[in-house]
Amino acid sequence: MDSGYFESIESKIPRGEFRTRFAPSPTGFMHLGGLRTALYAYLLAKKEGGKLILRIEDTDRERRVEGAAELIYETLAACGIAYEEGPNVGGPVGPYVQSERREIYGAYARRLVENGHAYYCFCDKEVLDEQRLIHEASRVPHRYDRRCAALSEAEIAEKIAAKTPFVIRQKVEQNGKTVFNDAVYGRIEVENSTLEDQVILKSDGMPTYNFANVVDDRLMGVTHIIRGNEFLSSTPKHVLLYEGFGWDTPKYIHVPQIMRNATKKLSKRDGDAYFGDFIAKGYLKEAILNYIALLGWSPGGEEEKFSLAELTDAFNIEGISKSPAIFDYQKLNWLNGAYLRAMSDEEYHAAASPHIKQTVRGDCDTRYVASLLQGRVELLSEIPAQVDFIDAVLPHELDLYENKKMKTDAAGAKKVLPEVLAVLGEISAWDKDTIHGEISGLVARLGLKNGQVLWPMRVALSGKTFTPGGSIEICLILGKNETLARLAAAIERLGAPSAQ
Ligand code: GLU
């Protein structure tokens, strides 16, 4: 490639802007750690008045999954993580999908060969396997033995002319150290002798992750790289590539990993690795986003509930911690409950309705049921089990009537329920105040405690000891006819004399 090729690409690099990026590999899932990286990059860009770029890193063809990029676009959009440039929004330094940039990587890999910071390697699998075996036998860490770095120009030309397959390897100067500064982990120094001459361009002309990542960050004008600390160990190789090209290195901000506990990462098997797992479990995206923002970053005060806009104001690199962030379900649940409670009646009804209808097939005032549930559940997925008595009373044993604290049992219920049936049967206005008034009157007339009437009512009407709302609310959910029918059925089952 002549220098005009590079000049025309590099002339497009935006200058003087704060630019960061989210560079996921499209695996078909949005890992929670990945989403947190996207969120931090977004917050940082917003905070600094800069731009966020989305770049799809899909050079690993074997791992490519149909529809995976779309899932990334959809998830980010659903979470409100907007980017100024990316595959589906365009921008000045595209394409933003690595598999569409193949020619660029080839050209830059050759440029690095010309600069003396990379070389052609013609070693085939057999040669490499043999080297590995020798290293294993002598118990030295396996690393490519750099034999092709010593080939003469004539030898290289001859092999290329003979169409011998080759890769291009980074030539790592073996003396000295590579040093860089990370905003979170501080100064990092690595002995160059520990770094391998990694492959940067594969024999099929595709770049490796490390190479494409560096070339793209440079050509896309990325000034700040924020990503998981699993990439900290690859960063020295990236720094050497920047140096090989004579480019300034960007600022690095590595963030700690999210762990399930002190030793275990979030995992697919435990169903806690992906954003979609949490949505399926009934978590709200606002709560997930708020929670993951706090995993590895601390706002420094007592406040824990932050909207995306509030996070944008509060976010700062200084608040990012070095230590692994341990996932705490209790806190996530609490936050989720806080978001549910903060919803308007309308919003809550819209969110809760599908979960109510999952269990309740018959008629039911979902608006009223939702009003009883709000503030009671931390997770929308708890709703189906809360409303399972609405279609029909749940099968139960008679000892469910027993409640020592309320001083009642099946025998008590047998006396009380016919009285309840009688007074409720007389009511014409089926509303809360009327029912409450009648039940209070009955309690007083019978000389009992509230619980001695309300507990048997709840059991008779629902077959449960915990329900959203109390016995009177259940009467309202069920309506007069159903309430009376359930009471009559319970009375019959208890073997009580029917009400006069
Ligand atoms: N493509 C890498 C990943 O999927 C991202 C690497 C980076 O952010 O530099 O995790």
Side-chain angles (χ1 to χ4, degrees):
M1 291 291 172
D2 58 15
S3 60
Y5 176 84
F6 298 110
E7 271 162 30
S8 92
I9 292 182
E10 290 173 27
S11 65
K12 295 192 193 122
I13 301 176
R15 318 251 166 201
E17 252 177 23
F18 180 104
R19 290 169 68 82
T20 185
R21 61 9 171 224
F22 175 48
S25 302
T27 58
F29 302 98
M30 176 65 90
H31 195 277
L32 226 46
L35 186 61
R36 186 193 53 173
T37 301
L39 174 63
Y40 285 1
Y42 167 85
L43 295 174
L44 209 56
K46 282 278 158 296
K47 180 103 195 173
E48 302 292 334
K51 291 197 174 135
L52 173 62
I53 301 164
L54 173 67
R55 179 174 74 231
I56 300 294
E57 300 208 325
D58 62 346
T59 55
D60 190 345
R61 284 180 186 170
E62 276 155 34
R63 292 179 54 204
R64 220 182 284 168
V65 176
E66 203 56 46
E70 284 67 27
L71 179 85
I72 295 170
Y73 310 150
E74 283 160 22
T75 309
L76 295 179
C79 292
I81 300 177
Y83 36 91
E84 282 69 26
E85 297 171 28
N88 57 341
V89 295
V93 289
Y96 293 90
V97 177
Q98 287 190 329
S99 56
E100 295 168 22
R101 299 170 64 78
R102 203 182 150 112
E103 179 194 290
I104 299 176
Y105 307 123
Y108 276 89
R110 284 179 178 80
R111 184 164 153 191
L112 211 54
V113 172
E114 281 158 29
N115 286 351
H117 292 285
Y119 58 91
Y120 292 98
C121 169
F122 301 93
C123 293
D124 58 18
K125 191 174 175 306
E126 223 168 281
V127 174
L128 296 174
D129 284 349
E130 190 187 315
Q131 284 182 29
R132 177 171 296 114
L133 287 177
I134 295 170
H135 287 149
E136 276 170 13
S138 49
R139 292 179 196 279
V140 294
H142 172 62
R143 230 170 286 141
Y144 175 60
D145 70 2
R146 313 184 87 213
R147 69 178 70 177
C148 285
L151 293 176
S152 68
E153 297 229 341
E155 285 169 314
I156 295 168
E158 192 184 307
K159 285 183 189 290
I160 289 181
K163 298 208 176 338
T164 313
F166 63 84
V167 298
I168 296 184
R169 287 184 185 270
Q170 180 178 11
K171 189 191 239 168
V172 178
E173 195 48 66
Q174 290 298 290
N175 301 321
K177 292 174 181 162
T178 297
V179 180
F180 67 96
N181 197 61
D182 183 85
V184 176
Y185 291 88
R187 185 183 154 92
I188 309 240
E189 272 190 26
V190 178
E191 295 289 340
N192 288 348
S193 57
T194 63
L195 302 173
E196 187 179 24
D197 282 358
Q198 62 170 342
V199 174
I200 57 174
L201 202 72
K202 296 183 252 185
S203 55
D204 62 359
M206 272 305 224
T208 53
Y209 149 72
N210 284 321
F211 186 65
N213 189 267
V214 165
V215 169
D216 285 348
D217 280 335
R218 171 65 184 189
L219 299 184
M220 293 180 179
V222 170
T223 56
H224 291 72
I225 291 179
I226 185 155
R227 62 184 172 200
N229 70 4
E230 66 271 32
F231 295 101
L232 208 48
S233 60
S234 321
T235 307
K237 296 181 210 165
H238 298 183
V239 169
L240 284 173
L241 286 170
Y242 279 97
E243 288 175 4
F245 280 116
W247 295 336
D248 290 341
T249 45
K251 300 265 179 297
Y252 289 106
I253 306 146
H254 285 91
V255 298
Q257 293 199 46
I258 306 177
M259 305 288 286
R260 185 178 174 78
N261 54 42
T263 54
K264 235 174 132 207
K265 289 190 194 174
L266 296 184
S267 77
K268 189 173 173 175
R269 217 184 48 206
D270 292 322
D272 55 13
Y274 304 123
F275 176 70
D277 295 337
F278 288 87
I279 294 293
K281 285 185 208 168
Y283 289 96
L284 300 173
K285 53 185 190 303
E286 295 82 357
I288 302 173
L289 221 55
N290 186 157
Y291 179 61
I292 59 175
L294 302 175
L295 273 175
W297 170 76
S298 157
E302 292 294 301
E303 186 56 47
E304 301 204 282
K305 188 163 175 277
F306 290 91
S307 66
L308 195 55
E310 288 163 343
L311 281 173
T312 309
D313 281 342
F315 192 72
N316 55 8
I317 295 176
E318 297 72 49
I320 300 175
S321 143
K322 274 194 211 120
S323 16
I326 310 277
F327 200 89
D328 176 356
Y329 267 101
Q330 247 178 10
K331 190 157 159 188
L332 171 62
N333 290 353
W334 172 81
L335 260 177
N336 202 69
Y339 277 91
L340 288 177
R341 286 191 296 280
M343 283 181 167
S344 68
D345 294 351
E346 210 47 50
E347 281 171 331
Y348 189 80
H349 177 245
S353 246
H355 298 267
I356 296 173
K357 287 187 187 140
Q358 214 170 299
T359 316
V360 183
R361 307 271 167 219
D363 278 348
C364 129
D365 180 351
T366 50
R367 226 163 258 285
Y368 180 60
V369 174
S371 74
L372 297 174
L373 290 165
Q374 191 171 14
R376 191 181 164 92
V377 297
E378 285 187 326
L379 271 176
L380 291 171
S381 57
E382 292 167 23
I383 291 179
Q386 292 269 336
V387 297
D388 53 1
F389 67 93
I390 296 181
D391 276 351
V393 66
L394 294 191
H396 57 281
E397 299 298 330
L398 293 183
D399 56 12
L400 210 64
Y401 283 104
E402 182 165 339
N403 184 323
K404 294 216 164 66
K405 209 168 131 220
M406 304 277 182
K407 296 197 170 37
T408 183
D409 55 14
K414 191 169 161 178
K415 284 193 205 118
V416 161
L417 290 179
E419 304 279 352
V420 175
L421 179 59
V423 295
L424 294 188
E426 292 304 311
I427 294 180
S428 49
W430 196 254
D431 59 52
K432 189 168 178 177
D433 288 345
T434 312
I435 300 173
H436 187 261
E438 290 299 327
I439 296 294
S440 299
L442 179 67
V443 167
R445 184 154 58 76
L446 298 177
L448 297 171
K449 298 217 178 303
N450 282 336
Q452 289 172 302
V453 174
L454 295 175
W455 184 266
M457 274 177 78
R458 187 202 300 256
V459 173
L461 295 175
S462 68
K464 302 178 79 168
T465 54
F466 292 99
T467 50
S471 304
I472 293 173
E473 283 77 12
I474 299 176
C475 292
L476 291 170
I477 294 174
L478 298 178
K480 183 172 175 182
N481 290 345
E482 180 67 12
T483 301
L484 299 185
R486 288 192 190 185
L487 286 171
I491 291 165
E492 197 179 318
R493 192 165 162 221
L494 285 160
S498 56
Q500 324 78 22

